[in-house]
Structure formats: structure tokens, C-alpha cells
Amino acid sequence: MKDLAKEIFGNVISDKDYNSALKSKKSYMKKYGDDSGIDYKIKVTDNKVIGPLLGVKNVEVTAKGNSEGEMDTQKGIIVGNIRMGFGHYRISMAMASYARHLGYTPYWMDLNSYPETTCTKVIGHQNDLYSLGSRLSKNALFNKLVWEPTNYEGFRALTYNSKDQKNAELMAPVYKNVPKDIPVIATHVWPAQAAIHAGMKHVVNAIPDNWPMALHLSEGSLHTIQCRNAYMGYRILNGMNKKKVCKPMPQDSLVYTGHYIDYELVSNIEKDCEARLDRKKNNKPMRFLLTIGGAGAQKEIFAEIIRYLLPHIRNGKAMLYVNVGDYRNVWDQLVSEISDMKGLYTEHMDNWEDTLSFAQKALNPEEDITGIHAFYHKDIFEAVYTTNLLMRSCDVLVTKPSELAFYPVPKLFIRRVGKHEMWGAIHSAEIGDGTLECRDIPHTIQMLDQFLETRLLDEMCEAIVLNKNMGIYDGAKKVVELAMGLKEE
């Protein structure tokens, strides 16, 4: 196998940068060890949270004991991901959803959940750094001088990919006893790179962002893209070697698919949009869903939105879902800081059955949902999927322009966390299913008024139905079909 850190799609990495990649790998080896000689066993278990909903089975990796359970080598498909924020989990759930719908068994491999392995230790270290950066980005100076340049230009460079490729060699052992002909859909580049290094034969690298960055390259994989603008940027590796023209990606390494969305959401688009318009027509409270990201960095913005909407909540013009994910402290701080919420909110705290029941009830057009409903779950699957469940019955999703920018629900975009995310809002505004990015509170409040006082909600619902008819939300379906198609070929 060729050295994927030395040459990337025919673009040769300089000796200096290659040696830097080698140094990075050696540093991690020194810190966390080299477990390439360990015979990790695999244990297949049922996922108790999203297993009943999406048919997901977990793949555990451990050096202890023997392998347990079997993977279906005919109808099985691996969803490789990492727990870094919520985005990669959410995209993985979309892949699992369509895999199940199309008759396959999705196997969940979270490379950040195997604490014995060097793989998880390396990813965990980088995840901690990313979460710290996200939180520090609230400081305007740090954001301007460090965080946005890193996320925008730093991750864009081919040299960054070279370093990642070397580090990913340390992640390959987790695939050691996984059948090599089971297709892998990776919703972060590291599971894709690790799979290629491990000799997995059919790998799809589902790129999450639509700002083209070399960070997301995994040569040897089939790369899929959610929007046309990013497709063109990846095709020529635009700007990934500063001003130098790069050798382009081979055309058969890159496919535009559309947005990665769950079957349950796509199949109910017309029904859910009609319900939104009926609620507005009948003067029922407009339902705003505030969902916090995996780094927990949006609390201050949430607080200002809640304060502004409180009068509208009291007079029945608006209501709120607030999903704080696995950050209970965020909700507790909001309650402490906003005393006027007292008497208006209902807590759904770490009770999955209650959340499932509420989400189902909220879909009933005869049910009047009022006030503020807060959701928290300690379990990561419950924390992430709660937003998916509430999305169908909400009218407006309030979110930073991350992976949720691609979802088929009217969206109000608050301030990004990392400059690469701005393109999610731009794309969404262009196809009509979301607002511009509101970089400060006054513009966020202005947009809240647009939803409450104008036909903006109607316009977005009309655009969402049109987008569905054009296949824009069919990305997860196409990725699953591509992955299984690689095996058939």
C-alpha cells in the first residue's frame, strides 16, 4: 500500500511537511502507545436506544475475552463515526435510518468509544482540544486570531491531511477482526482513513461540511458531498495548497448526493410542513426548537432568545422546545439566570420514555402544546436523537449552521462556531429552507420577528417541499446505495 501521507491524489507533500507528519505520529505513539500488535476482538450488541428505532447494532472493540456475536456479511453495513460534537452522530443516524429502510443491518462503530485502544486515546485528545476551542471561541479575540483561521484555512491545507493520514495509521487496529468486505460509511474522515489503512475493501467517506477542506480527504474511499458548491471545490482541491493549482481528484472518487437526512424525516416532509402551515393559519403558538451543539457553546444566545420570546409565550403566540443534549448544567444555568421562566416550563429530564411519548403527542394536530419544554439526556444517543424527534413537530429550528443546516425544517441560524460553518447558512438560504446567519442578538431577534409577523415560515415550507421533489434531501439514501454498490461491483 502506498504511503497516503506522502502523496495525496497525486499532490506530493514536501519532505519537511512529511517529516512533520511522521513526528506527529511518533508523538502520539510515545504518549499513548502502539497497539498494532494487539488482537482486538469484536462484540456485536443491540443498541438499546436507537436499535428499536433505526435497527442499529453496536460493534464493541476489546482485547478482553473472545469475539461475541456475528456481523451479517451479506446485508451488513458499518457506520463508522466519532463522538466529536453531535454532528457526526446525527449524520450517522441518518445513514443507519436509510440502511434499515433499504433492508440492511447498520453496525455502529464509534472510534471514540474504545478506551483500551490507541485509536480512542488519540481521538479523545483531539476531541478535547476541539471542544475547548469551541468554548473559547466566545472570546472575540481568540475567535478572530485562532479559532476561525484554524477551522477555515488550517484544516484546508493538504499538509494537514498528510498529518492526519499518519495519525490514522494508529487507528487501524480497531478494524482488525471486522470482515473486510462489509461496506463502511464513515461520517468523519478518521474512520474512513483508518478503514483504508486496515484493508477494508468498500469505504464511503461521507463528507459533512460544505467548505472544501483537505481535512476531509481519505484517498482510497469514495467521497460523497452534500451540495454542488462543495463538489466543485473538492473536485479541484481548491485552495488546498495555497495559490498553487492542485492535481484534481479522480472523477470516480467524488459523488454529489444531496443532504444526509433520515428516512423518517424525508418521508414525512409534506405532512410536517402542512401541519406547520395549519398551526399558523389557526393562530396556534409557533413552535421554536432550540438545540445546543455538542460543545455546549450557545447558552448565552439561548438566554437572550428565551428572554425575548417570554411575552409571546405568555400570550400564546410562541412556545419553546429546548434540547440541551447532555449538558444538564446549561439548562440549570438558564433557569437560574431567567427567573421570569418560572411557572412556564416543563422539564423532561433524562427520561427517554417520556421524551418518546411527548414527541409522538406533539405530532397530533389535536394536541395544544404550550409554554417551554426542556429536554436533557445523559446518554449520547438520546441527547442527539431527541432533536430529530422534536424536529418533525417544531415550526422553526434555531441552531448554529452546522450539520443541522442541511435538515428539511425551517431554520433560524444563530452565530457559527468556526468559520467553515458559515457556508451551511449560505447554502440553506440559497435553497430557501433557512435564514442568513445571525451573528449577533439584534439580528437574531429581527429574524424571530420575521417568523412571527410575516410569511417567512410559509415560504420556507414551500421551498422544503420543492427541494424534496428535486431530491436534495436524498443524500443518505444515495450514500447507502453507493456503499452497497461498491460491494456488488
Side-chain angles (χ1 to χ4, degrees), residues 308-325:
Y308 181 76
L309 286 177
L310 279 175
H312 297 293
I313 293 170
R314 289 196 185 92
N315 67 23
K317 194 171 182 179
M319 65 83 51
L320 281 175
Y321 302 149
V322 183
N323 180 24
V324 295

Side-chain angles (χ1 to χ4, degrees), residues 346-457:
T346 302
E347 294 182 336
H348 306 265
M349 299 287 115
D350 210 19
N351 186 334
W352 185 233
E353 293 305 318
D354 173 54
T355 297
L356 290 171
S357 175
F358 178 87
Q360 190 61 39
K361 181 178 76 170
L363 289 171
N364 184 346
E366 303 303 318
E367 291 282 349
D368 290 328
I369 309 295
T370 60
I372 301 171
H373 291 264
F375 299 84
Y376 153 80
H377 294 89
K378 182 178 179 181
D379 181 272
I380 180 62
F381 291 100
E382 295 173 358
V384 174
Y385 204 67
T386 292
T387 294
N388 289 44
L389 292 171
L390 297 174
M391 205 182 297
R392 285 196 54 201
S393 68
C394 82
D395 295 319
V396 182
L397 172 65
V398 182
T399 178
K400 69 187 182 76
S402 57
E403 84 292 340
L404 284 169
F406 297 93
Y407 276 69
V409 57
K411 294 173 290 289
L412 192 166
F413 292 118
I414 59 177
R415 187 178 66 223
R416 63 184 181 253
V417 181
K419 191 173 180 179
H420 64 297
E421 289 186 344
M422 77 175 185
W423 291 93
I426 292 170
H427 173 69
S428 180
E430 284 179 338
I431 65 172
D433 65 4
T435 70
L436 299 171
E437 178 191 355
C438 299
R439 296 282 290 152
D440 55 31
I441 297 302
H443 284 93
T444 303
I445 289 173
Q446 180 190 47
M447 205 61 79
L448 288 170
D449 285 340
Q450 286 291 302
F451 278 109
L452 289 167
E453 306 294 345
T454 75
R455 289 192 71 257
L456 184 59
L457 181 74

Side-chain angles (χ1 to χ4, degrees), residues 53-56 77 93-106 261-264 266-267 474 476-478 480-481:
L53 298 168
L54 304 177
V56 170
I77 190 164
M93 290 173 180
M95 302 303 178
S97 169
Y98 257 108
R100 184 195 198 197
H101 172 65
L102 295 173
Y104 304 115
T105 300
I261 309 296
D262 313 55
Y263 167 75
E264 292 77 15
V266 176
S267 61
D474 287 343
K477 174 177 180 286
K478 292 178 181 177
V480 171
E481 292 172 340

